């Protein structure tokens, strides 16, 4: 997959109406500090189009990136950020749920989980939400460079067991530092977009 042009086309806040797109959408969900912006920038070959921050919880909107005028990467608000009020967290949750329910062009949801840790209650809730809305999440196990190669399969099993994933669920280990896993994610996205066009 060669990414030639990328444009941040639409930004939706809590009260915004979701856009009526006619291109396939691929959504990215994950905890606030899981490396979602780094993954999206890595996939788009851009350094800082998706805003990364040392302060988690930066993505508070739903951001639509038009990729090659062929599809959208949709960056959902990071969840589970401790330093916001319960009220704000509830609003972010409603935004994500509204998107999962109402988007007509959503084709795939990537759920990012930190490979170093057992998924927490927020991750499990997000996984269950995605499934309840009729999607089979693809797991991206981020921060791959932070663990030894010998630990990878053990950590993937830990993630799958904690989320109680459906049989056949795909897990892509990924490193924002080395870009390991990026080609596999590209190939998967390409395959899904081609399927959408048929």
């Amino acid at each position: 997959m060669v990414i030639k042009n990328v444009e941040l086309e639409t930004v939706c806040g809590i009260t915004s109406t979701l856009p009526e797109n006619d291109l396939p959408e691929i959504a990215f969900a994950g905890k606030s500090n899981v490396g979602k912006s780094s993954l999206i920038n890595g996939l788009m070959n851009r350094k800082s189009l998706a805003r990364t921050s040392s302060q988690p919880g930066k993505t508070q909107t739903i951001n639509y990136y038009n990729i090659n005028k062929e599809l959208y990467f949709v960056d959902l608000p990071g969840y589970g950020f401790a330093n916001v009020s319960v009220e704000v967290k509830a609003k972010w949750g409603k935004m994500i749920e509204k998107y999962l329910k109402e988007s007509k062009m959503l084709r795939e949801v990537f759920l990012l989980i930190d490979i170093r840790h057992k998924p927490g209650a927020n991750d499990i809730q997000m996984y269950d939400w995605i499934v309840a809305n009729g999607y089979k999440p693809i797991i991206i196990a981020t921060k791959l460079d932070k663990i030894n190669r010998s630990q990878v399969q053990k950590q993937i099993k830990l993630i799958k067991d904690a989320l109680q994933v459906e049989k056949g669920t795909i897990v892509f280990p990924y490193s924002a530092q080395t870009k390991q896993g990026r080609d596999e994610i590209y190939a998967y996205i390409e395959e899904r977009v081609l399927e959408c066009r048929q």
Side-chain angles (χ1 to χ4, degrees), residues 34-179:
V34 78
K36 190 159 49 68
S37 298
S38 298
L39 167 73
I40 292 170
N41 284 326
L43 290 175
M44 296 189 303
N45 281 324
R46 299 295 188 274
K47 277 209 165 65
S48 58
L49 196 55
R51 282 169 302 178
T52 58
S53 173
S54 56
Q55 180 195 352
K58 202 75 178 160
T59 309
Q60 300 177 14
T61 50
I62 299 177
N63 299 333
Y64 291 76
Y65 297 93
N66 188 319
I67 311 293
N68 291 345
K69 306 214 178 320
E70 291 178 334
L71 76 152
Y72 288 98
F73 284 173
V74 181
D75 186 6
L76 299 174
Y79 55 82
F81 179 45
N83 286 9
V84 293
S85 68
V86 173
E87 190 186 350
V88 169
K89 278 186 199 168
K91 282 179 179 168
W92 288 354
K94 285 200 177 95
M95 267 171 90
I96 295 170
E97 208 170 10
K98 179 182 173 191
Y99 173 75
L100 292 172
K101 278 201 172 98
E102 293 182 13
S103 172
K104 294 183 179 71
M105 295 306 290
L106 180 58
R107 295 293 177 261
E108 205 66 71
V109 183
F110 286 106
L111 177 60
L112 280 65
I113 305 285
D114 188 329
I115 199 165
R116 298 171 298 176
H117 308 300
K118 183 180 177 181
N122 286 314
D123 296 314
I124 294 165
Q125 183 184 35
M126 189 73 228
Y127 179 84
D128 292 344
W129 261 1
I130 296 166
V131 171
N133 282 287
Y135 299 96
K136 194 172 178 178
I138 306 301
I139 309 298
I140 297 184
T142 61
K143 306 188 191 261
L144 177 61
D145 51 285
K146 308 277 192 211
I147 63 168
N148 293 328
R149 196 176 292 179
S150 60
Q151 295 176 286
V152 173
Q153 290 312 314
K154 180 179 139 234
Q155 292 305 110
I156 286 174
K157 185 179 184 308
L158 181 76
I159 289 168
K160 285 181 166 181
D161 290 350
L163 295 176
Q164 297 183 336
V165 299
E166 293 181 14
K167 200 174 174 188
T169 295
I170 298 167
V171 179
F172 291 115
Y174 176 79
S175 164
Q177 297 298 319
T178 66
K179 303 296 183 282

